């Protein structure tokens, strides 16, 4: 009994944290973008991209063809439920809970868009099946919006549900990049559409699935991008002090010798965010420190990376 009370108190405390509400807002915004992509670009064109919705359409049509009429909504519910159960066991509870929330609000958001502004109002001619007037434009708009939403949710250990769960499992156990994992799982589903669609439409779906994977990697790398900074100088102490105490980041120092002058120098290496890199450059300029600086982008960082709350606490302690 006492353990349940402790768990309840921990859950209550988590609900009061800024991290929880920030991630809640990110999930809601991500699913709204997903709903817009699905309702305005996928539904009218009837494209089958590598998603559980596409798989449900295929399964429903195949079952109807063999005399077992099952609604698409039923197939979709069964597929998503199975994947959510798998997510809880093979990934983790946090990912599962966030994915459940995302899956639950997608349907109501699509209904809300249908009530506020039906996509039929955007169709120029009667019988038209493309909001943009061309199936390829619809495909591009859908992929860009969906990929941005997926990258947002993946960055907070969540997903839009469906095949994103399969992609997350591939990413966790085979260390495959998320974009590649999404593309692989989606391509398999797209190929099942051969059972109900012409070959041309299947190819369009496969291209869309591949573009989806490429776009996810692009957006994800932008969200998590860091700067690897290398500074060679004869006056390292002010820079080291600024990185450690003001930016609250780690750094490594190496003794190096200039190949031209043969004079001893110190090389400082550090990983910073884009804004921190700008602050560091401004500090070096304002202090008139002579230094040779190179910087490159790093898309993924593992291991010790100080959180914003920890750095805020250290800055406060340093000022006191």
């Amino acid at each position: 009994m006492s353990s349940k009370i402790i768990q309840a108190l921990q859950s209550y405390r988590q609900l009061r944290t800024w991290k929880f509400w920030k991630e809640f807002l990110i999930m809601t915004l991500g699913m709204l973008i997903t709903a817009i992509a699905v309702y305005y670009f996928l539904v009218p064109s009837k494209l089958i991209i590598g998603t559980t919705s596409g798989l449900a359409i295929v399964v429903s049509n195949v079952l109807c063809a063999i005399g077992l009429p099952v609604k698409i909504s039923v197939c979709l519910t069964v597929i998503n439920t199975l994947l959510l159960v798998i997510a809880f066991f093979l990934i983790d509870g946090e990912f599962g809970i966030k994915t459940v929330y995302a899956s639950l609000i997608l349907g109501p958001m699509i209904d809300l868009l249908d009530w506020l502004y039906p996509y039929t109002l955007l169709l120029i001619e009667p019988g038209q099946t493309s909001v943009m007037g061309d199936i390829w434009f619809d495909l591009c708009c859908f992929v860009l919006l969906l990929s941005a939403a997926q990258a947002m949710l993946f960055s907070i250990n969540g997903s839009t549900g469906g095949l994103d769960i399969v992609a997350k499992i591939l990413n966790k156990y085979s260390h495959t990049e998320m974009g590649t994992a999404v593309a692989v799982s989606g391509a398999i589903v797209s190929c099942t559409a051969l059972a109900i669609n012409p070959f041309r439409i299947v190819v369009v779906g496969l291209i869309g699935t591949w573009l989806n994977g490429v776009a996810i990697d692009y957006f994800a790398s932008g969200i998590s991008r860091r700067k690897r900074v290398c500074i060679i100088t004869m006056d390292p102490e002010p820079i080291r002090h600024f990185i450690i105490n003001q930016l609250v980041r780690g750094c490594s120092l190496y003794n190096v010798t200039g190949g031209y002058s043969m004079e001893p120098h110190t090389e400082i290496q550090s990983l910073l965010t884009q804004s921190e890199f700008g602050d560091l450059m401004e500090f070096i300029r304002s202090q008139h420190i002579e230094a040779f600086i190179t910087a490159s982008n790093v898309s993924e960082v593992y291991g010790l990376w100080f959180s914003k709350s920890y750095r805020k606490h250290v800055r406060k302690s340093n000022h006191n």
Side-chain angles (χ1 to χ4, degrees):
M1 185 67 181
S2 60
S3 61
K4 291 183 179 180
I5 295 174
I6 293 173
Q7 289 177 357
L9 288 173
Q10 289 175 341
S11 299
Y12 174 70
R13 291 193 188 101
Q14 187 177 8
L15 289 174
R16 297 177 61 186
T17 61
W18 164 241
K19 178 179 180 292
F20 170 83
W21 289 107
K22 182 180 72 172
E23 292 185 349
F24 174 80
L25 290 173
I26 291 173
M27 284 189 291
T28 304
L29 176 61
M31 292 314 296
L32 177 59
I33 295 173
T34 301
I36 291 172
V38 171
Y39 181 69
Y40 289 112
F41 300 108
L42 192 66
V43 172
S45 63
K46 296 180 176 59
L47 281 171
I48 295 183
I49 310 296
T51 62
T52 50
S53 300
L55 181 60
I57 293 172
V58 173
V59 172
S60 175
N61 279 269
V62 170
L63 291 176
C64 288
I66 61 175
L68 297 172
V70 180
K71 292 182 178 180
I72 294 174
S73 59
V74 174
C75 293
L76 184 59
T77 301
V78 171
I79 294 170
N80 281 334
T81 301
L82 289 173
L83 289 173
L84 286 171
V85 171
I86 292 171
F88 273 100
F89 286 101
L90 294 185
I91 304 176
D92 57 57
E94 179 190 2
F95 177 84
I97 292 170
K98 289 177 178 178
T99 303
V100 167
Y101 170 72
S103 301
L104 289 176
I105 66 172
L106 179 59
M109 281 185 170
I110 291 176
D111 291 337
L112 178 64
L113 293 173
D114 184 53
W115 177 70
L116 289 174
Y117 202 86
Y119 73 80
T120 51
L121 298 177
L122 299 173
L123 301 179
I124 301 173
E125 300 176 0
Q128 182 178 324
T129 60
S130 172
V131 168
M132 300 297 292
D134 186 278
I135 192 172
W136 289 102
F137 287 149
D138 277 20
L139 177 68
C140 290
C141 291
F142 170 76
V143 166
L144 288 174
L145 288 173
L146 179 64
S147 301
Q150 288 173 309
M152 289 169 60
L153 269 70
F154 285 143
S155 69
I156 58 170
N157 193 31
S159 78
T160 60
L163 289 184
D164 284 0
I165 297 172
V166 178
K168 187 71 175 180
I169 292 171
L170 288 173
N171 170 258
K172 180 177 180 179
Y173 291 100
S174 66
H175 304 291
T176 306
E177 290 187 352
M178 284 304 306
T180 304
V182 169
V184 169
S185 57
I188 295 172
V189 171
S190 296
C191 288
T192 64
L194 285 168
I196 62 170
N197 276 350
F199 181 73
R200 173 180 172 274
I201 301 299
V202 175
V203 171
V204 172
L206 285 169
I207 293 173
T209 301
W210 174 72
L211 289 174
N212 183 205
V214 172
I216 286 175
D217 281 340
Y218 174 78
F219 287 121
S221 64
I223 291 173
S224 61
R225 184 174 297 159
R226 301 290 183 265
K227 283 285 187 182
R228 180 177 181 272
V229 186
C230 296
I231 306 166
I232 298 177
T233 179
M234 297 180 70
D235 186 18
E237 188 56 28
I239 300 174
R240 187 195 70 82
H241 184 273
F242 182 80
I243 293 174
I244 298 295
N245 296 294
Q246 297 300 317
L247 300 181
V248 193
R249 292 297 183 193
C251 64
S252 301
L253 277 67
Y254 304 93
N255 293 322
V256 296
T257 302
Y260 181 78
S261 64
M262 296 305 292
E263 293 181 350
H265 295 74
T266 300
E267 179 182 0
I268 305 171
Q269 291 191 17
S270 184
L271 282 175
L272 307 173
T273 64
Q274 185 65 47
S275 62
E276 291 164 354
F277 174 64
D279 292 339
L280 176 61
M281 293 298 294
E282 180 60 31
F283 171 77
I284 293 174
R285 281 193 292 266
S286 65
Q287 298 298 312
H288 306 289
I289 300 173
E290 293 187 0
F292 178 77
I293 305 166
T294 59
S296 57
N297 291 323
V298 176
S299 60
E300 294 185 58
V301 178
Y302 299 98
L304 184 61
W305 178 258
F306 296 147
S307 66
K308 186 179 292 185
S309 59
Y310 173 79
R311 290 165 53 233
K312 185 177 180 181
H313 171 73
V314 172
R315 284 200 193 99
K316 186 177 179 180
S317 301
N318 289 339
H319 286 308
N320 293 337

